[in-house]
Amino acid sequence: MTVAQVEDILGEAGYLAKQQEGFVVRPSQIKMSQRIAETIAARKTLLVEAGTGTGKTFAYLVPALQSGAKVIISTGSRHLQDQLFKTDLPRLLAGLGPRPHALLKGRNNYLCLYRLEQTVEMYRWQLRMGFEDLDQVKAWSLTTDHGDVSSLAEVAEDAPVWSLVTSTADSCLGSACAHYENCFVAKARARAQEAQVVVVNHHLFFADAVMRDEGFAEILPQAEVIVFDEAHQLPDVASQFFGDMVSSRQILDLVRDSRTELAQAAADMGPMKEVLDAPDPAVALVRQAMGEAPRRGKFIDIDGAVQMPMQVLEQALKTLQELLKSQAERSRGLEKLAERSAGLLQGFSQLNHARQIADEVHWFEAFKQSWSLGITPLDVQKPFQDMMTAYPAAWILTSATLAVDGDFSYFARQLGLSSSDGEVFESPFDYAQQGLLYAPRNLPDPRQEDYLPRLVEEIRALLQASQGRAFLLFTSHRALRQAAELLKDLPWPVLVQGSQPRHSLLQAFREAGNAVLLGTGSFWEGVDVQGEALSLVVIDKLPFSSPGDPLLEARTAVIQQRGGSAFFELQLPEAIMSLKQGAGRLIRSITDRGVLVIADPRLYTQAYGRSIISALPRMARTHDRARVVEFFKEGSGASVSNRNGG
Ligand code: SF4
């Protein structure tokens, strides 16, 4: 695709400007699109930081679609995947002409007809007694074309029934399944195989590239263009998948499925109760031995305490595995369970007997009633590079936050990429006019006891000026809970993370128009609220990672051993990236106005604060709350929505 052809679609006289109401021509979008077109033609790698409002989705979709190549687009979440597939792609294709395109999610997003049949059999008494969710799923299974569970709105996303009836790699019978012809997973994969453009998410991409268990492995080698949107998440996602993990959930699921399958296919066998009953209490003993929860730490710290219960659990898994192996011939389901138990036992034994080695971290995580154990590599450069070599496509990695003040080194180093392949496309927003950065001078050091109550007083005054319309973003759940308690009497609707599902909170926030939303991690990114409903973003502390995180600790030690500064090489760039994401929630369109408050006084008392400020959008700055009041009094114009695709 040539530079002129990009203009024909995204430029002043282009198709989108003529045909689509609300489309605003943006020079940075055109330039980014042209740069991506060149990269695709040369089959190279490009890192692109696209400032908020650049319209990065269309900027990569246009050259990718027009290249005629097989394209895989990976997004940061299923929600973004749906948005791209159901909104952005159809808008472009309406003008560019149809292209075969497909949405592919991880198999646990699809109904498994075999598991549904088994579950209905197992719960038939409950069905009669009104196990309504299962009833709903059963009725829906007869009418749905694609079996994507997100389309059955009547059953909540987190309803327990889904874990019983969705597809899992462990339980799938593949082509030996009696339902194979109608299988939703198989159909989704077949569509992806045929499509020119396949939309996936990072978890599916890595699960498959690494473990080859999501059936995407046949599609990946065909890809000529691979686009990662929200690419700043890749180092974390890659770390998860290039390591190993076993969870209590996997063990309990194995026991539950074994119980069901044995009851159906080997009911004539002698007593199995003892074997099937043994793992559950052992799982609980391991949890107990891990101590207080929630907690995450180095395995070595609990090694002594969990040794005995882990041995008991390993023995229970061995006995179960032997039982399943002895019955494997009796059904395809038992054969699969025998394989699955062997894999789980092997993974568990490895983790149980592994000892810490230099380039990986052996960790545990305890929740109220569950736990996980894992090994994570300290760096993922090599496996990521091996993956890129194995799939020699044009690789485009884009996000609103990939660079620190224009420098891609931090991000690029983590994946073994070259920072010289990076390019920044500035936001078209006039931040100096549209935004104000306020750093209050009256707050104590955030480590002091009275920090939070004093911050809450400051927030009350700010909310008076903004009349609600705010996101209050916290770096810890503890601070969130305390602030929610102290602010519950506000005269505006108060929405607190955890009180309802994330999408309902966001919907309520948009609808109210003057609400105050309190959130942590998941609200720092991927949230788009345009217009006056969001005019104030308050960030409680600079988002440095918790020092107790075992991965951070191990990476810090490596940097210190070679004489480097873990703070400047690791913690600061990471905090800047998070802060840019959090700050990016505020100005979402060319008419948005708003105030960003970074309450942590270290922003101006510490020398590194200057690096943080210079990495943020160039807003006007003040330490004076009166200026904030004035800013809101100056009023705000009506906002127009962003119709440029992200
Ligand atoms: S092929 Fe696998 S996913 Fe499909 S219905 Fe059968 S068991 Fe379920």
Side-chain angles (χ1 to χ4, degrees):
M1 186 184 196
T2 64
V3 166
Q5 285 168 325
V6 170
E7 290 260 10
D8 289 345
I9 298 166
L10 296 170
E12 294 283 354
Y15 148 73
L16 287 167
K18 280 190 208 146
Q19 306 281 322
Q20 303 211 348
E21 202 188 325
F23 182 84
V24 181
V25 174
R26 293 172 192 182
S28 52
Q29 184 179 45
I30 296 172
K31 281 194 197 127
M32 175 174 162
S33 198
Q34 289 167 339
R35 185 74 178 82
I36 291 175
E38 287 162 12
T39 307
I40 290 175
R43 285 274 180 114
K44 290 207 163 148
T45 299
L46 181 66
L47 317 180
V48 192
E49 178 170 286
T52 313
T54 308
K56 68 174 160 38
T57 312
F58 279 9
Y60 63 70
L61 277 178
V62 167
L65 288 170
Q66 295 300 79
S67 70
K70 175 100 180 180
V71 181
I72 291 175
I73 297 168
S74 181
T75 63
S77 66
R78 278 174 297 171
H79 169 71
L80 292 171
Q81 203 183 349
D82 281 333
Q83 186 184 315
L84 195 138
F85 189 78
K86 292 177 184 162
T87 311
D88 299 321
L89 251 180
R91 277 186 61 213
L92 260 188
L93 293 179
L96 300 181
R99 309 275 199 296
H101 56 291
L103 180 70
L104 187 62
K105 297 182 178 176
R107 59 160 72 238
N108 62 338
N109 292 280
Y110 298 97
L111 179 70
C112 168
L113 294 167
Y114 161 68
R115 292 194 76 207
L116 175 66
E117 186 180 68
Q118 278 199 320
T119 307
V120 168
E121 175 65 18
M122 196 164 89
Y123 286 83
R124 62 185 189 280
W125 300 111
Q126 279 91 332
L127 261 180
R128 262 182 223 153
M129 289 186 294
F131 186 1
E132 280 170 22
D133 282 350
L134 185 54
D135 230 349
Q136 297 253 26
V137 173
K138 204 174 157 225
W140 170 73
S141 73
L142 303 173
T143 55
T144 175
D145 288 334
H146 43 69
D148 181 338
V149 299
S150 68
S151 62
L152 181 57
E154 290 78 9
V155 177
E157 240 175 80
D158 54 356
V161 70
W162 291 128
S163 69
L164 300 171
V165 299
T166 47
S167 173
T168 67
D170 289 337
S171 63
C172 180
L173 307 180
S175 53
C177 174
H179 300 281
Y180 191 69
E181 259 185 40
N182 299 316
C183 172
F184 298 118
V185 179
K187 283 193 208 167
R189 289 175 183 177
R191 284 194 295 271
Q193 191 98 27
E194 297 304 314
Q196 185 209 331
V197 183
V198 184
V199 181
V200 300
N201 60 60
H202 300 343
H203 281 87
L204 170 62
F205 190 100
F206 280 93
D208 221 74
V210 178
M211 299 185 289
R212 298 179 186 276
D213 71 350
E214 293 286 349
F216 173 56
E218 310 97 49
I219 299 157
L220 204 45
Q222 304 166 9
E224 294 160 285
V225 180
I226 295 173
V227 180
F228 283 108
D229 201 342
E230 301 290 312
H232 62 279
Q233 299 175 358
L234 291 187
D236 276 352
V237 180
S239 295
Q240 283 170 35
F241 285 95
F242 290 131
D244 284 314
M245 193 189 90
V246 168
S247 69
S248 56
R249 179 82 269 146
Q250 283 171 288
I251 296 173
L252 297 179
D253 284 354
L254 171 75
V255 176
R256 182 200 59 208
D257 293 350
S258 303
R259 216 183 277 281
T260 312
E261 187 67 30
L262 283 164
Q264 287 174 11
D268 57 339
M269 250 207 83
M272 297 174 284
K273 192 174 175 322
E274 212 176 298
V275 179
L276 289 167
D277 283 351
D280 285 34
V283 164
L285 281 178
V286 173
R287 166 64 204 90
Q288 216 175 12
M290 284 177 173
E292 62 180 43
R295 181 178 171 212
R296 182 176 158 88
K298 285 181 287 186
F299 184 74
I300 202 164
D301 295 342
I302 54 157
D303 198 5
V306 296
Q307 218 173 50
M308 199 53 136
M310 295 263 291
Q311 270 168 20
V312 174
L313 180 53
E314 191 173 334
Q315 186 51 50
L317 283 174
K318 253 186 211 155
T319 315
L320 175 62
Q321 208 277 317
E322 278 157 18
L323 171 70
L324 291 166
K325 199 171 145 198
S326 72
Q327 301 303 309
E329 281 179 3
R330 303 185 72 161
S331 76
R332 178 71 182 124
L334 283 171
E335 190 186 330
K336 280 292 290 185
L337 281 163
E339 284 167 19
R340 177 174 157 192
S341 60
L344 193 58
L345 175 63
Q346 192 194 10
F348 182 77
S349 304
Q350 254 169 23
L351 287 165
N352 193 12
H353 303 292
R355 289 296 162 258
Q356 192 71 51
I357 59 169
D359 55 359
E360 58 187 32
V361 180
H362 193 185
W363 54 265
F364 76 96
E365 192 157 17
F367 304 98
K368 209 167 157 202
Q369 287 172 338
S370 60
W371 48 261
S372 311
L373 294 173
I375 292 179
T376 301
L378 270 190
D379 84 58
V380 291
Q381 289 181 2
K382 178 160 185 331
F384 191 81
Q385 284 303 305
D386 289 348
M387 189 172 79
M388 288 183 77
T389 310
Y391 305 112
W395 290 68
I396 317 290
L397 290 80
T398 184
S399 165
T401 50
L402 282 191
V404 175
D405 210 8
D407 179 1
F408 286 83
S409 310
Y410 175 66
F411 174 77
R413 196 171 47 231
Q414 294 177 79
L415 298 178
L417 300 163
S418 165
S419 59
S420 60
D421 287 332
E423 195 157 337
V424 176
F425 293 89
E426 297 292 348
S427 165
F429 302 155
D430 184 355
Y431 282 106
Q433 293 299 321
Q434 293 179 252
L436 178 66
L437 170 61
Y438 169 52
R441 273 202 190 275
N442 55 343
L443 293 175
D445 185 286
R447 285 159 293 196
Q448 283 184 20
E449 276 295 302
D450 61 341
Y451 179 72
L452 193 86
R454 298 215 7 220
L455 170 62
V456 165
E457 284 318 304
E458 181 66 40
I459 287 173
R460 281 183 184 278
L462 291 164
L463 289 171
Q464 273 304 330
S466 66
Q467 289 296 294
R469 306 186 296 151
F471 266 19
L472 312 180
L473 300 177
F474 295 89
T475 43
S476 75
H477 286 275
R478 189 161 164 261
L480 168 72
R481 280 195 304 273
Q482 288 175 347
E485 183 58 32
L486 292 168
L487 290 169
K488 64 183 178 201
D489 61 343
L490 287 176
W492 306 281
V494 177
L495 303 164
V496 182
Q497 179 183 332
S499 61
Q500 20 176 331
R502 186 173 180 270
H503 67 274
S504 317
L505 280 175
L506 284 170
Q507 196 179 336
F509 184 86
R510 288 189 183 101
E511 282 170 9
N514 63 349
V516 178
L517 187 146
L518 288 78
T520 62
S522 71
F523 287 91
W524 281 69
E525 55 180 276
V527 175
D528 185 19
V529 179
Q530 294 181 26
E532 295 180 9
L534 179 55
S535 297
L536 175 71
V537 170
V538 180
I539 289 173
D540 73 330
K541 288 183 191 173
L542 297 177
F544 292 117
S545 306
S546 137
D549 181 73
L551 199 57
L552 177 74
E553 233 177 75
R555 285 180 177 152
T556 299
V558 170
I559 295 173
Q560 283 167 346
Q561 268 160 23
R562 61 163 163 73
S565 157
F567 181 76
F568 286 103
E569 288 182 39
L570 183 64
Q571 284 173 281
L572 185 59
E574 219 162 73
I576 289 176
M577 296 277 217
S578 302
L579 205 53
K580 279 172 75 173
Q581 278 290 339
R585 301 310 104 217
L586 185 62
I587 308 289
R588 308 294 301 174
S589 81
I590 48 172
T591 53
D592 272 2
R593 294 177 82 249
V595 176
L596 170 66
V597 182
I598 300 181
D600 192 329
R602 290 174 292 181
L603 186 70
Y604 56 87
T605 58
Q606 302 295 321
Y608 60 74
R610 279 198 290 278
S611 313
I612 295 177
I613 291 173
S614 78
L616 290 173
R618 308 271 186 264
M619 296 180 182
R621 298 202 297 263
T622 185
H623 288 298
D624 183 1
R625 197 198 300 145
R627 176 74 194 92
V628 176
V629 175
E630 210 177 291
F631 182 91
F632 282 118
K633 274 197 189 138
E634 282 161 12
S636 51
S639 295
V640 295
S641 62
N642 175 7
R643 301 273 293 158
N644 278 43

